[in-house]
Amino acid sequence: MKNRSNDLKTNVLRAQSQSEVADLLKEAGMDETRAESLWNEVRGSRESRELSRDELSAVSGGADRDWITDGCAATVEPNSLCRTNDACWKWDVTYDHEPTSVTCPHCGSYMYVAKIIYATNPSDDTVWYQCPKCGYRE
């Protein structure tokens, strides 16, 4: 799914008109009424201007959002399949402090991924979670 999303993003960024963007969205099974706003965004990105810190972070591989301060890009329910069924028209979103469905044993809030130590085998990764409300960490 991610490759399809990236292909759509690439094609939209290469589009030469609003109608071309609408056609791309329609082909992807998406709401083509968003073509005008996307086209305006694409045209704006082509203008020569200085990038903001957030824009620089996004193109340098930084996360798109911080879940603690910005919340979810589209929905906030745990276990929602952000990249497939939440009707988010934006492309894949990466998070600092990625949300999880793990709940805090102290206050019941949903926790976020505080740290990951990657192992050779992904099933051996070590993940620490932290609660954004009470600060509990496991």
Side-chain angles (χ1 to χ4, degrees):
M1 180 70 181
K2 185 171 183 164
N3 285 340
R4 196 173 111 201
S5 239
N6 286 339
D7 291 344
L8 176 61
K9 181 178 181 179
T10 300
N11 290 334
V12 167
L13 290 172
R14 291 179 180 161
Q16 297 301 309
S17 69
Q18 180 178 328
S19 63
E20 190 176 338
V21 172
D23 291 342
L24 289 166
L25 293 175
K26 188 176 182 179
E27 275 180 31
M30 299 174 80
D31 184 4
E32 62 206 77
T33 61
R34 297 180 189 265
E36 182 179 2
S37 64
L38 279 173
W39 174 243
N40 290 334
E41 195 174 319
V42 166
R43 278 191 345 195
S45 71
R46 291 179 180 165
E47 295 174 3
S48 176
R49 62 183 173 81
E50 192 171 313
L51 297 175
S52 72
R53 284 184 168 216
D54 289 340
E55 290 168 321
L56 285 172
S57 175
V59 297
S60 66
D64 298 318
R65 298 176 69 90
D66 185 329
W67 180 70
I68 295 173
T69 57
D70 303 328
C72 185
T75 58
V76 293
E77 57 278 341
N79 296 320
S80 110
L81 300 174
C82 293
R83 292 171 174 89
T84 59
N85 72 353
D86 72 352
C88 178
W89 68 275
K90 291 259 186 201
W91 296 283
D92 289 344
V93 176
T94 57
Y95 290 95
D96 279 332
H97 305 110
E98 182 179 340
T100 68
S101 59
V102 177
T103 56
C104 176
H106 291 215
C107 71
S109 297
Y110 290 103
M111 298 173 74
Y112 63 88
V113 176
K115 184 176 180 180
I116 301 175
I117 295 179
Y118 295 99
T120 305
N121 183 351
S123 64
D124 295 332
D125 290 352
T126 304
V127 181
W128 283 277
Y129 302 97
Q130 186 163 344
C131 178
K133 290 195 178 173
C134 73
Y136 173 80
R137 193 169 184 166
E138 65 176 26

Coordinates of all heavy atoms in Angstrom, one line a residue, residues 67-68 102-104 106-112 129-137:
W67 N 2.8 13.1 17.7 CA 1.5 12.7 18.2 C 1.1 13.4 19.5 O 0.0 13.7 19.7 CB 1.4 11.2 18.3 CG 0.1 10.6 18.8 CD1 -1.0 10.7 18.1 CD2 -0.2 10.1 20.0 NE1 -2.0 10.1 18.8 CE2 -1.5 9.7 20.0 CE3 0.6 9.8 21.2 CZ2 -2.2 9.1 21.1 CZ3 0.0 9.2 22.2 CH2 -1.4 8.9 22.2
I68 N 2.1 13.6 20.4 CA 1.8 14.2 21.7 C 1.3 15.6 21.5 O 0.3 16.0 22.1 CB 3.0 14.2 22.6 CG1 3.4 12.8 22.9 CG2 2.8 15.0 23.9 CD1 4.7 12.6 23.7
V102 N -1.5 0.4 23.3 CA -1.1 0.0 24.7 C -1.6 1.0 25.6 O -1.4 2.2 25.5 CB 0.5 -0.1 24.8 CG1 0.9 -0.4 26.2 CG2 1.0 -1.1 23.8
T103 N -2.3 0.6 26.7 CA -2.8 1.5 27.7 C -2.0 1.5 28.9 O -1.4 0.6 29.3 CB -4.3 1.1 28.1 OG1 -4.3 -0.2 28.5 CG2 -5.2 1.3 26.9
C104 N -2.0 2.7 29.5 CA -1.2 2.9 30.8 C -1.9 2.2 31.9 O -3.1 2.4 32.1 CB -1.2 4.4 31.1 SG -0.4 4.8 32.6
H106 N -1.7 2.8 35.0 CA -2.0 3.8 36.0 C -3.2 4.6 35.8 O -4.0 4.8 36.6 CB -0.8 4.7 36.3 CG 0.4 3.9 36.9 ND1 1.2 4.5 37.8 CD2 0.8 2.7 36.7 CE1 2.1 3.6 38.2 NE2 1.9 2.5 37.5
C107 N -3.3 5.2 34.6 CA -4.4 6.1 34.3 C -5.3 5.7 33.1 O -6.3 6.3 32.9 CB -3.9 7.6 34.0 SG -3.0 7.8 32.5
G108 N -4.9 4.6 32.4 CA -5.7 4.1 31.3 C -5.6 4.8 30.0 O -6.3 4.5 29.0
S109 N -4.8 5.9 29.9 CA -4.6 6.6 28.6 C -3.8 5.7 27.6 O -3.0 4.8 28.1 CB -3.8 7.9 28.9 OG -4.5 8.7 29.7
Y110 N -3.9 6.0 26.4 CA -3.1 5.3 25.4 C -1.7 5.8 25.4 O -1.4 7.0 25.6 CB -3.7 5.5 24.0 CG -5.0 4.7 23.9 CD1 -6.2 5.4 23.9 CD2 -5.0 3.4 23.7 CE1 -7.4 4.7 23.8 CE2 -6.2 2.6 23.6 CZ -7.4 3.3 23.7 OH -8.5 2.6 23.6
M111 N -0.7 4.9 25.3 CA 0.7 5.3 25.4 C 1.3 5.5 24.0 O 0.7 5.1 23.0 CB 1.4 4.2 26.2 CG 0.9 4.1 27.6 SD 1.5 2.7 28.6 CE 3.2 3.3 28.9
Y112 N 2.5 6.0 24.0 CA 3.2 6.2 22.7 C 4.5 5.5 22.8 O 5.0 5.1 23.9 CB 3.4 7.7 22.4 CG 4.3 8.4 23.4 CD1 5.6 8.5 23.2 CD2 3.7 9.1 24.4 CE1 6.4 9.2 24.1 CE2 4.4 9.9 25.3 CZ 5.8 9.9 25.2 OH 6.6 10.6 26.1
Y129 N 7.3 2.1 26.1 CA 6.1 2.9 26.0 C 6.1 4.0 27.1 O 6.6 3.7 28.2 CB 4.9 2.1 26.0 CG 4.9 1.0 24.9 CD1 5.2 -0.3 25.2 CD2 4.5 1.3 23.6 CE1 5.2 -1.3 24.3 CE2 4.5 0.3 22.7 CZ 4.8 -1.0 23.0 OH 4.8 -2.0 22.0
Q130 N 5.5 5.1 26.8 CA 5.3 6.1 27.8 C 3.9 6.7 27.7 O 3.4 6.9 26.6 CB 6.3 7.2 27.7 CG 6.3 8.2 28.8 CD 7.6 9.0 28.9 OE1 8.6 8.7 28.3 NE2 7.5 10.1 29.7
C131 N 3.3 7.1 28.8 CA 2.0 7.7 28.9 C 2.2 9.2 28.8 O 2.9 9.8 29.5 CB 1.3 7.3 30.2 SG -0.3 8.1 30.4
P132 N 1.4 9.8 27.9 CA 1.5 11.3 27.7 C 0.8 12.0 28.8 O 1.1 13.2 29.1 CB 0.9 11.6 26.4 CG -0.1 10.4 26.2 CD 0.6 9.3 26.8
K133 N 0.0 11.4 29.6 CA -0.8 12.1 30.7 C -0.1 12.0 32.0 O 0.1 13.0 32.6 CB -2.2 11.5 30.8 CG -3.0 11.9 29.6 CD -4.5 11.7 29.8 CE -5.3 12.1 28.6 NZ -6.7 11.8 28.7
C134 N 0.3 10.8 32.4 CA 0.9 10.7 33.8 C 2.4 10.4 33.7 O 3.1 10.5 34.8 CB 0.2 9.6 34.6 SG 0.6 7.9 34.1
G135 N 3.0 10.2 32.5 CA 4.4 10.0 32.4 C 4.9 8.6 32.7 O 6.1 8.3 32.6
Y136 N 4.0 7.7 33.1 CA 4.4 6.3 33.4 C 5.2 5.7 32.2 O 4.8 6.0 31.0 CB 3.2 5.4 33.7 CG 3.5 3.9 33.8 CD1 4.1 3.4 35.0 CD2 3.3 3.1 32.8 CE1 4.4 2.1 35.1 CE2 3.6 1.7 32.9 CZ 4.1 1.2 34.1 OH 4.5 -0.1 34.2
R137 N 6.2 5.0 32.4 CA 7.0 4.4 31.3 C 7.3 2.9 31.6 O 7.6 2.5 32.7 CB 8.4 5.1 31.3 CG 9.2 4.8 30.0 CD 10.3 5.7 29.9 NE 11.0 5.5 28.7 CZ 11.9 6.3 28.1 NH1 12.2 7.4 28.7 NH2 12.4 6.0 27.0

